[in-house]
């Protein structure tokens, strides 16, 4: 694939994600793509992604992007919020990255998360009570009443976000992620999120509690405590990443099971564990379609192409999850019997590997088991072909998931 190759236009409306995933993968290992008029490289192979994710010549620093330096990309670009949020572990590398990440990563180790398990179980139970009431007489959409509130509630307990803010945060994040939000509106949303979280950090600075936000404020970080802007950026990254992706994981797993009834039966019979459901969903229908963006500090050869110094690079996780070179010729099939050795990359790899991976697995495991224990006869209320994605270019986010609870 050469620089002259005609770029694949990534559909901002996400009308045919399966088709697009296939087209991007079939175009090669290093594919020129068009992101709302802006060119970038898409990495589509598991092996290349794994290598590049530990390559120090690829960095998060927006200042290394040729198109940003030249002014061709500005804050008018609808995807700017994905690559230029506040300063946090998400936007820096090297020693600064370790400094910004350490405290958060320690707080979400599997052992520390055991404290959150009873909270997640209780919230799940309460939400399912509500689902039951709403679904008593007809179909109920699992997204607004179950999959959306659960992750926001859990990340809020961890970070100390006031539940009274949830309804507004859902509105703001929906507008933030949607590719079709008018840009002036999106910039206003980003401004409001900044204000909300800055206010919260100031309140915690005045009166720390036992939440992770307070711990970030108080952390010494080897004599270099985080600045207010860094705490705000970290809090935003945790809330932004911690809810949107987990909604996708839960819904995509439910959708996969309801469209593969034989495999669902094997799970309900106890022949297959929920961990297999989660890992196979992460591979086959990962919540993250494209992760924006890294920038090359020098020329980097990949497969049969070259990423030039200053180019932008996207890791296309959905294509990577279906890479037959790594997962075999049946990579396009959802198969819970797949050997766990066929490790997916859905949480990334290397220094930026998702710090919330254990939390999302814990949440999805509790949510899915509780949902199907309560409603073992759950079924889709619309034909699977009618399910649509949200117009969110970077995420694999189903618009709604209407189900019948009792068969
Ligand atoms: C959302 C907006 C914000 O305030 C901060 C961040 C930083 C972390 C980002 C998040 C963003 C969007 C979703 C991301 C997340 C890190 C992992 C997550 C990209 C831009 C994924 O979808 C993989």
């Amino acid at each position: 694939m050469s620089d002259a190759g005609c770029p694949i236009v990534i559909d901002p409306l996400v009308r045919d994600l399966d088709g697009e995933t296939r087209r991007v993968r079939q175009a090669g290992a290093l594919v020129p793509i068009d992101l709302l008029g802006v060119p970038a490289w898409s990495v589509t192979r598991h092996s290349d992604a794994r290598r590049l994710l530990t390559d120090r010549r690829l960095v998060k620093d927006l200042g290394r992007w040729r198109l940003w330096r030249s002014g061709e990309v500005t804050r008018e670009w609808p995807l700017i919020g994905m690559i230029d949020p506040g300063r946090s572990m998400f936007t820096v590398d090297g020693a600064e990255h370790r400094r910004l990440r350490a405290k958060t990563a320690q707080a979400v180790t599997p052992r520390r998360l055991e404290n959150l398990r009873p909270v997640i179980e209780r919230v799940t139970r309460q939400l399912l009570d509500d689902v039951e009431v709403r679904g008593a007489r007809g179909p109920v959409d699992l997204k607004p009443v179950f999959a959306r509130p659960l992750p926001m509630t859990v990340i809020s307990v961890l970070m100390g976000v006031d539940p009274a803010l949830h309804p507004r945060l859902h509105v703001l994040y929906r507008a933030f992620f949607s590719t079709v939000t008018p840009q002036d509106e999106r910039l206003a949303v980003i401004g409001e999120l900044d204000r909300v979280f800055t206010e919260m950090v100031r309140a915690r600075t005045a009166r720390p509690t036992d939440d992770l936000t307070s711990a970030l404020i108080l952390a010494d970080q080897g004599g270099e405590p985080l600045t207010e802007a860094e705490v705000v950026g970290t809090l935003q990254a945790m809330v932004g990443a911690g809810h949107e992706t987990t909604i996708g994981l839960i819904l995509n797993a439910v959708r996969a099971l309801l469209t593969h009834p034989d495999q669902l039966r094997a799970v309900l019979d106890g022949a297959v564990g929920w961990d297999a459901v989660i890992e196979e969903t992460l591979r086959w229908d990962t919540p993250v379609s494209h992760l924006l963006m890294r920038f090359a500090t020098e020329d980097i050869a990949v497969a049969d192409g070259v990423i030039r110094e200053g180019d932008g690079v996207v890791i296309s996780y959905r294509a990577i999850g279906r890479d037959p070179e790594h997962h075999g010729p049946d990579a396009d099939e959802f198969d819970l019997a797949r050997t766990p050795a066929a490790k997916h990359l859905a949480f990334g790899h290397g220094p930026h590997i998702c710090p919330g991976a254990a939390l999302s697995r814990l949440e999805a495991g509790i949510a899915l088991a509780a949902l199907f224990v309560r409603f073992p006869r759950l079924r889709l209320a619309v034909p699977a072909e009618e399910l649509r994605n949200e117009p969110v270019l970077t995420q694999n986010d189903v618009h709604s998931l209407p189900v019948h609870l009792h068969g």
Side-chain angles (χ1 to χ4, degrees), residues 60 79-86 88-91 173 176-177 190 193-194 197 232-245 287-292 317 346-347 352 354-355 394-395:
K60 297 285 201 123
L79 292 166
I80 193 68
M82 296 300 290
I83 57 171
D84 191 24
S88 76
M89 69 187 97
F90 187 65
T91 53
Y173 279 114
F176 172 86
F177 280 105
I190 292 172
L193 285 168
D194 273 345
F197 288 115
V232 173
T234 304
L235 172 59
Q236 290 191 328
M238 291 295 282
V239 176
H243 85 284
E244 164 62 31
T245 50
V288 181
S289 314
H290 305 282
L291 192 120
L292 274 49
Y317 282 108
F347 289 117
H352 286 277
C354 176
T394 53
Q395 317 295 120

Side-chain angles (χ1 to χ4, degrees), residues 12-223:
L13 301 179
V14 201
R15 282 164 293 192
D16 174 22
L17 190 57
D18 278 344
E20 187 169 274
T21 299
R22 204 174 315 117
R23 276 195 299 284
V24 170
R25 170 158 48 77
Q26 285 173 355
L30 183 66
V31 179
I33 54 173
D34 173 302
L35 301 167
L36 297 153
V38 169
W41 292 111
S42 161
V43 175
T44 70
R45 299 292 188 269
H46 181 106
S47 58
D48 295 323
R50 212 182 132 83
R51 195 157 15 82
L52 289 171
L53 286 167
T54 54
D55 191 321
R56 287 159 184 239
R57 296 171 298 175
L58 277 183
V59 299
K60 297 285 201 123
D61 176 9
L62 182 56
R64 307 305 293 245
W65 194 15
R66 188 183 334 101
L67 297 177
W68 181 255
R69 284 198 303 247
S70 67
E72 280 160 87
V73 172
T74 66
R75 294 196 68 76
E76 291 311 304
W77 187 48
L79 292 166
I80 193 68
M82 296 300 290
I83 57 171
D84 191 24
R87 185 176 155 84
S88 76
M89 69 187 97
F90 187 65
T91 53
V92 298
D93 295 280
E96 276 296 275
H97 176 249
R98 287 187 289 280
R99 172 177 160 267
L100 285 172
R101 178 173 163 118
K103 193 80 204 167
T104 306
Q106 285 156 18
V108 288
T109 57
R111 197 174 49 82
R112 301 276 291 272
L113 286 177
E114 279 308 310
N115 299 333
L116 270 180
R117 178 188 289 278
V119 177
I120 303 172
E121 287 171 344
R122 176 173 45 78
V123 176
T124 300
R125 219 167 25 242
Q126 289 164 348
L127 292 171
L128 287 178
D129 290 344
D130 191 25
V131 168
E132 185 150 20
V133 171
R134 288 171 193 251
R137 254 180 261 128
V140 54
D141 179 359
L142 287 181
K143 189 173 190 180
V145 283
F146 184 58
R148 192 188 288 144
L150 178 63
M152 182 60 96
T153 303
V154 174
I155 198 70
S156 294
V157 169
L158 183 68
M159 303 308 297
V161 178
D162 182 351
L165 290 172
H166 291 181
R168 185 67 189 152
L169 288 178
H170 283 305
V171 171
L172 293 173
Y173 279 114
R174 188 161 191 198
F176 172 86
F177 280 105
S178 171
T179 321
V180 298
T181 301
Q183 190 60 7
D184 53 346
E185 202 181 301
R186 188 191 323 276
L187 293 174
V189 161
I190 292 172
E192 185 174 338
L193 285 168
D194 273 345
R195 282 195 300 281
V196 167
F197 288 115
T198 301
E199 226 171 83
M200 175 181 152
V201 168
R202 288 188 181 153
R204 283 305 183 287
T205 307
R207 277 162 170 263
T209 65
D210 60 353
D211 56 35
L212 181 50
T213 303
S214 302
L216 288 168
I217 293 166
L218 298 171
D220 152 81
Q221 296 302 111

Side-chain angles (χ1 to χ4, degrees), residues 249-325:
L249 175 55
I250 293 170
L251 291 176
N252 295 356
V254 174
R255 173 171 56 180
L257 290 171
L258 296 184
T259 50
H260 296 81
D262 294 350
Q263 301 195 52
L264 172 57
R265 202 160 312 123
V267 177
L268 295 180
D269 290 349
V272 175
W274 289 105
D275 49 345
V277 174
I278 291 167
E279 299 313 312
E280 183 63 349
T281 301
L282 286 164
R283 179 196 74 80
W284 182 72
D285 201 16
T286 182
V288 181
S289 314
H290 305 282
L291 192 120
L292 274 49
M293 203 182 312
R294 287 174 168 81
F295 310 102
T297 58
E298 43 187 285
D299 290 1
I300 305 172
V302 178
D304 51 359
V306 180
I307 299 168
R308 296 286 173 203
E309 192 260 299
D311 287 352
V313 178
V314 168
I315 309 291
S316 292
Y317 282 108
R318 200 157 186 283
I320 287 164
R322 296 184 179 207
D323 179 1
E325 286 164 28

